[in-house]
Amino acid sequence: MAPQVIDHKGGVWSIAVPIPDNPLGHTLVHLLETDRGPVLIDTGWDDPDSWDTLTAGITACGFDPADVHGVVITHHHPDHHGLSATVRETSGAWIAMHAADTAVVRRSRAAEPGQWLDYVLVKLTTAGAPDDHLEPLRAARAAGRGRKLPGRRAALPDRAIEPGELLDLAGRRVRAIWTPGHTPGHVCLHLEETHPAQQGAPATARPTGFGRLFSGDHLLPGITPHIGLYEDPDDVAPDLLDRGDPLGDYLDSLERIARLAPAEVLPAHQHAFPDAGGRVRELIAHHEERLTDLRTLLREPLTAWQLATSMQWNRPWTEIPAGSRTIAVSEAEAHLRHLVKRGHVEPVAGSMPVRYVAV
């Protein structure tokens, strides 16, 4: 089957690289033509079929996979960073990523699966997870069956992306925009060039805004990105107010993208779309509504687990598998952290598992 390749004009292409057994379906890897050869924005999941699709897509764009000059990673998740080592082995390409996500990659590569399970068990116990959720994890830990985290074969980046910098891409103007939230080092990339649809078109037919935004997972047309916690298990401040605020970071990042006002957004999932500002307003409204709902629920003390079971997800809690429930609890904790930072919620002193209540 031929790869799904779209020519977005102006030396910009997208290649739909499949994600095995995942409802997202695929990652849109973008290829940007430069004077030194093609540069990829993300790479896709580390899987033989995904690699075959990526290489076929690069060929369909008119290049050989060995020609790839560099790879810019929007964030460290395995559906974006997974094939980076294979790309480097094939082409010798450099790999660039924000330092905060590179730190996560280093930590993941160094961690033993058992250490990760220990951390997850402590987090879930503190969050009030019931025994039927914890027991399979305890059994896996006791049997030494801690699974390997996905993405461990991905390349260690050899270039750092500095916020606000123009990337060293010959013949192109691409500026890095740091947009933490989905991950601590997530970056969007603003192609500071006139949109091809604006060249020679009547004023009434031109898209508004300037340039195009490679948005990774920060801004998607129909999906609300997951906002969880990315803490170093060995470096967690004792006071909740001293810890990070991923949701606050995400909301601030959305505001920066709205002010940027690109003519078109090229995300890593679904499809390209205009009106970044409109989508930003929808996402901010979604999170503010969720925060308001949580404050109502927290009129009585609840644990993060209890809160997660009461939140609105894309399916009923009873239909959410165990691994996804753990992710959902992390998102609930991110919202709790933000409410604590705002002074709207506080942990109940001495409670274990920790309960929270509105103030």
Side-chain angles (χ1 to χ4, degrees):
M1 181 181 296
Q4 299 177 40
V5 174
I6 297 175
D7 181 359
H8 294 278
K9 307 303 180 183
V12 176
W13 306 73
S14 63
I15 305 165
V17 177
I19 311 172
D21 303 317
N22 190 296
L24 277 175
H26 58 260
T27 301
L28 293 173
V29 173
H30 290 93
L31 183 149
L32 181 66
E33 299 178 24
T34 80
D35 292 347
R36 297 192 189 112
V39 168
L40 300 181
I41 299 172
D42 293 332
T43 60
W45 191 276
D46 183 14
D47 176 80
D49 289 341
S50 302
W51 172 245
D52 289 344
T53 301
L54 177 61
T55 55
I58 293 170
T59 301
C61 295
F63 300 96
D64 190 287
D67 297 334
V68 174
H69 173 60
V71 178
V72 182
I73 303 295
T74 61
H75 62 295
H76 71 80
H77 286 165
D79 56 322
H80 297 257
H81 186 37
L83 283 169
S84 56
T86 309
V87 172
R88 175 187 280 168
E89 291 163 5
T90 301
S91 65
W94 48 261
I95 313 290
M97 182 185 286
H98 188 281
D101 270 23
T102 297
V104 177
V105 173
R106 289 183 185 277
R107 198 159 66 230
S108 298
R109 288 163 66 105
E112 293 298 324
Q115 291 175 298
W116 175 249
L117 273 176
D118 287 341
Y119 171 67
V120 170
L121 280 165
V122 169
K123 289 286 291 181
L124 287 172
T125 300
T126 303
D131 279 342
D132 62 356
H133 186 81
L134 296 172
E135 276 305 322
L137 298 173
R138 291 174 181 147
R141 182 66 181 99
R145 297 197 310 269
R147 69 180 180 89
K148 291 184 177 180
L149 297 175
R152 287 169 68 96
R153 281 181 8 100
L156 194 63
D158 48 42
R159 292 190 181 186
I161 298 175
E162 297 294 335
E165 74 168 338
L166 278 175
L167 302 185
D168 182 19
L169 303 179
R172 310 305 300 250
R173 285 186 60 87
V174 178
R175 192 174 302 277
I177 312 297
W178 184 33
T179 50
H182 183 59
T183 71
H186 191 292
V187 294
C188 294
L189 304 164
H190 188 205
L191 183 60
E192 296 180 341
E193 300 171 10
T194 302
H195 193 295
Q198 294 173 323
Q199 297 175 356
T204 55
R206 296 175 193 167
T208 58
F210 174 64
R212 290 179 275 184
L213 185 78
F214 300 101
S215 66
D217 281 2
H218 182 68
L219 199 61
L220 303 170
I223 298 172
T224 302
H226 167 67
I227 309 298
L229 301 179
Y230 282 93
E231 294 174 332
D232 184 343
D234 298 324
D235 185 26
V236 177
D239 189 335
L240 197 63
L241 288 172
D242 292 336
R243 302 184 196 175
D245 179 13
L247 180 57
D249 292 341
Y250 180 64
L251 296 173
D252 289 345
S253 300
L254 286 175
E255 295 280 10
R256 287 201 300 277
I257 293 303
R259 290 193 294 270
L260 197 65
E264 186 177 31
V265 180
L266 301 173
H269 301 288
Q270 298 188 302
H271 55 82
F273 63 99
D275 192 15
R279 183 59 181 145
V280 163
R281 289 190 293 274
E282 291 175 355
L283 288 167
I284 291 175
H286 163 78
H287 284 289
E288 290 297 338
E289 181 180 0
R290 172 169 274 189
L291 290 166
T292 298
D293 291 344
L294 296 187
R295 290 180 70 186
T296 300
L297 289 169
L298 288 167
R299 288 173 180 166
E300 60 177 294
L302 296 173
T303 66
W305 182 276
Q306 291 171 325
L307 204 60
T309 64
S310 302
M311 292 169 67
Q312 294 296 316
W313 305 104
N314 59 1
R315 49 189 154 167
W317 184 258
T318 54
E319 298 177 11
I320 298 177
S324 297
R325 288 186 180 189
T326 297
I327 294 172
V329 171
S330 179
E331 178 138 347
E333 289 183 306
H335 282 73
L336 280 168
R337 181 80 58 82
H338 189 61
L339 286 169
V340 170
K341 295 276 188 178
R342 286 186 175 185
H344 295 160
V345 165
E346 65 183 15
V348 177
S351 60
M352 184 52 68
V354 179
R355 292 178 297 155
Y356 296 84
V357 66
V359 293

